[in-house]
Amino acid sequence: MASLKEQVLRRKPVGVMTEETGADADAGELSRSIGLLQLTLFGVGATVGTGIFIVLTQAVPVGGPAVILSFALAGTVAGLTAICYAELASAVPVSGSSYSYAYATLGEGVAMVVAACLLLEYGVSAAAVAVGWSQYLNELLDNLFGFTIPDNFSQAPEQGGILNVPAIILIVLCTLLLLRGASESARVNAVMVMIKLGVLLLFIVLGLKGWDSNNLSDFAPAGLNGITSAAGIIFFSYIGLDAVSTAGEEVKNPRRNLPLAIIGALVIVTTVYVLVTVVAVAAQPAAQFKDQEAGLSAILEDVTGSSWPATVLAAGAVISIFSVTLVVIYGQTRILFAMGRDGMIPALFHKLNPRTLTPVTSTIIVAVVISLLAGVLPIDFLAEMTSIGTLVAFLVVSIGVMVLRQRQPDLPRGFKVPLYPLLPILSIGGCFWIIKDLRAVTIEVFVLWSSVALLWYFFYGRHHSALNRREEEELPEVTV
């Protein structure tokens, strides 16, 4: 029998992964129905909206107008990591994202911890953006009909409410769409992404009318620490880059399309984030961002003196954040699907509906958990908890690139990281730099969550692992 150390470090061969998922045969358990454009918009859909529509109200009070640099810093680290993702996605084109990459490069125990990070990252992120959706929905209802949903039913208990009902409704709607199938969800997401980009372009054009250089005078009131701390809060908005890789088994020609979609989404996302942030902080004093709900809509209303631009922006945010939630829930179910296939969690997460080829049971369970989080937790806590999950996942991907280059240098790769090994090393350093400025309570909760994951692995995962079963089957019979 394998020792505990051998079990923790055993790796799933890349060849086994690609064979069981049909990566090179245009086959597999899931339907390969997503093309390059739809996949790129998956990444944009999961990213643009989260940071811009919501996070400015948490980040600007920390970093001041220098939050522009915070977005650039977070984008640079995310960009370095995206390039690493592109190589691994082309070499290991399967569902499961960095969980699968860790399983192939760093071993089963590390993969379990990474999976816990991803589940934290995706589950908490979906809850966070659902809470933000509730804020913009109230803004839209107020502008259109003159009423809002009472705080008791649109705020978390910590913020004076009882239950955030709109956030729960959003998650239910996304779940119903995902149950219809991946291709239907991808088409709906593509339409929503086009709408959100149009709305943000409207914000940039109209917001420039309110440009006031005085708002940028005290540019970095908290210095470098404020910039890096704000970058840590913002970082969760780059989760969309990871979401692209969760679709590895539903993409046509994955070795080509996965890396192209990841890099394409990064370019679009970073450009939009920086442009909108520059306009926002120049149009409104930094102090007004604190605790401001539906911030971009409020900025437009102040700049134009009219409610219609704010109404359009609020409507765009409602649509935009819907697409974020949709893709994030999708990504989490596909990670659970891969884990269920590997035996790391119960097989019910790997079960597919024979007609739609979607993991129905897994999707419903995910929706229930995220609904509970969105209904009772405030957005600032949710955002920072997602950041550390994202950072650790990105960290593992950057390490995984170097490990796979050493162990399997001749493995087919549709894309290779340029300036290797400099870029992966810079990515690792950037992730650690942002992690060190997160709040102590965030890191403590993360350590506790990782410990729970290791306990699960020790008592369940290592015994039920498909690799463990294969090893037991290969053991020679002992005769007495």
Side-chain angles (χ1 to χ4, degrees):
M1 293 291 291
S3 67
L4 177 60
K5 179 182 178 181
E6 290 171 333
Q7 289 175 329
V8 170
L9 296 178
R10 62 189 169 199
R11 300 185 302 276
K12 188 173 182 180
V14 174
V16 172
M17 289 186 175
T18 54
E19 183 178 343
E20 71 184 7
T21 60
D24 296 318
D26 198 26
E29 296 174 278
L30 301 171
S31 174
R32 292 194 179 276
S33 57
I34 301 175
L36 176 59
L37 178 60
Q38 287 180 324
L39 186 62
T40 304
L41 295 180
F42 248 54
V44 178
T47 309
V48 172
T50 314
I52 289 303
F53 287 109
I54 300 172
V55 159
L56 282 178
T57 57
Q58 277 78 49
V60 175
V62 174
V67 75
I68 297 168
L69 300 181
S70 302
F71 268 101
L73 173 61
T76 300
V77 176
L80 293 170
T81 312
I83 293 171
C84 296
Y85 260 102
E87 176 168 329
L88 281 184
S90 70
V92 192
V94 301
S95 291
S97 182
S98 44
Y99 155 75
S100 295
Y101 306 152
Y103 209 165
T105 58
L106 301 175
E108 194 170 87
V110 176
M112 190 69 237
V113 174
V114 172
C117 292
L118 290 172
L119 296 179
L120 177 72
E121 171 188 338
Y122 279 79
V124 178
S125 173
V129 295
V131 172
W133 188 78
S134 178
Q135 296 174 4
Y136 275 96
L137 181 63
N138 258 342
E139 172 83 5
L140 181 62
L141 292 174
D142 187 32
N143 287 351
L144 289 178
F145 307 111
F147 78 89
T148 59
I149 301 168
D151 284 350
N152 281 347
F153 301 106
S154 62
Q155 298 282 6
E158 189 177 314
Q159 296 171 317
I162 298 173
L163 188 68
N164 195 327
V165 176
I168 295 173
I169 291 173
L170 170 64
I171 292 163
V172 171
L173 292 174
C174 289
T175 302
L176 293 174
L177 179 57
L178 288 170
L179 293 178
R180 290 182 60 85
S183 59
E184 291 85 348
S185 301
R187 284 195 293 269
V188 171
N189 175 72
V191 173
M192 290 181 174
V193 170
M194 295 303 182
I195 293 173
K196 84 166 75 176
L197 292 178
V199 167
L200 289 173
L201 179 61
L202 174 70
F203 173 83
I204 293 168
V205 172
L206 295 181
L208 283 171
K209 296 180 180 179
W211 185 284
D212 185 350
S213 56
N214 290 328
N215 292 332
L216 303 174
S217 56
D218 188 11
F219 189 68
L224 184 61
N225 285 339
I227 293 171
T228 55
S229 296
I233 296 171
I234 288 165
F235 204 82
F236 92 107
S237 58
Y238 284 93
I239 187 176
L241 304 176
D242 185 275
V244 172
S245 62
T246 65
E249 292 175 44
E250 289 161 286
V251 179
K252 302 170 186 175
N253 193 2
R255 290 193 189 276
R256 169 185 175 272
N257 288 341
L258 281 169
L260 286 177
I262 290 170
I263 294 171
L266 170 70
V267 171
I268 295 170
V269 165
T270 305
T271 302
V272 171
Y273 275 3
V274 171
L275 288 175
V276 172
T277 304
V278 168
V279 172
V281 297
Q284 177 175 274
Q288 289 183 216
F289 282 91
K290 186 174 177 59
D291 299 324
Q292 185 180 45
E293 293 192 358
L296 297 189
S297 291
I299 290 172
L300 275 195
E301 192 160 354
D302 289 341
V303 167
T304 63
S306 174
S307 63
W308 77 261
T311 303
V312 171
L313 193 80
V318 168
I319 294 170
S320 170
I321 297 172
F322 188 107
S323 76
V324 175
T325 311
L326 177 73
V327 179
V328 171
I329 294 176
Y330 165 87
Q332 187 167 40
T333 61
R334 271 45 180 185
I335 293 165
L336 291 169
F337 175 81
M339 294 176 69
R341 176 173 55 212
D342 293 336
M344 304 294 280
I345 57 176
L348 65 90
F349 289 96
H350 182 236
K351 187 177 179 181
L352 295 175
N353 180 292
R355 183 178 62 84
T356 62
L357 295 180
T358 56
V360 172
T361 305
S362 174
T363 303
I364 292 172
I365 292 172
V366 166
V368 170
V369 173
I370 294 174
S371 295
L372 291 174
L373 292 174
V376 301
L377 293 179
I379 192 170
D380 53 350
F381 177 78
L382 290 170
E384 197 163 332
M385 284 310 304
T386 307
S387 286
I388 192 165
T390 307
L391 283 161
V392 172
F394 281 13
L395 191 64
V396 167
V397 166
S398 303
I399 295 171
V401 165
M402 295 192 290
V403 171
L404 202 60
R405 281 278 190 107
Q406 292 298 313
R407 288 183 172 154
Q408 294 182 265
D410 298 325
L411 190 70
R413 291 169 171 84
F415 174 85
K416 282 192 172 184
V417 173
L419 300 179
Y420 177 87
L422 177 61
L423 293 192
I425 291 172
L426 288 175
S427 175
I428 292 167
C431 289
F432 276 121
W433 188 28
I434 295 177
I435 287 173
K436 73 177 176 59
D437 286 313
L438 294 176
R439 291 185 301 166
V441 66
T442 304
I443 296 174
E444 289 164 6
V445 171
F446 167 75
V447 171
L448 177 63
W449 178 249
S450 298
S451 302
V452 171
L454 286 174
L455 285 173
W456 173 270
Y457 173 72
F458 182 80
F459 289 107
Y460 183 94
R462 70 191 181 101
H463 300 297
H464 293 82
S465 159
L467 289 185
N468 189 66
R469 293 197 300 270
R470 189 175 299 133
E471 288 173 359
E472 291 177 347
E473 290 169 0
E474 292 173 355
L475 285 174
E477 292 186 9
V478 178
T479 57
V480 179

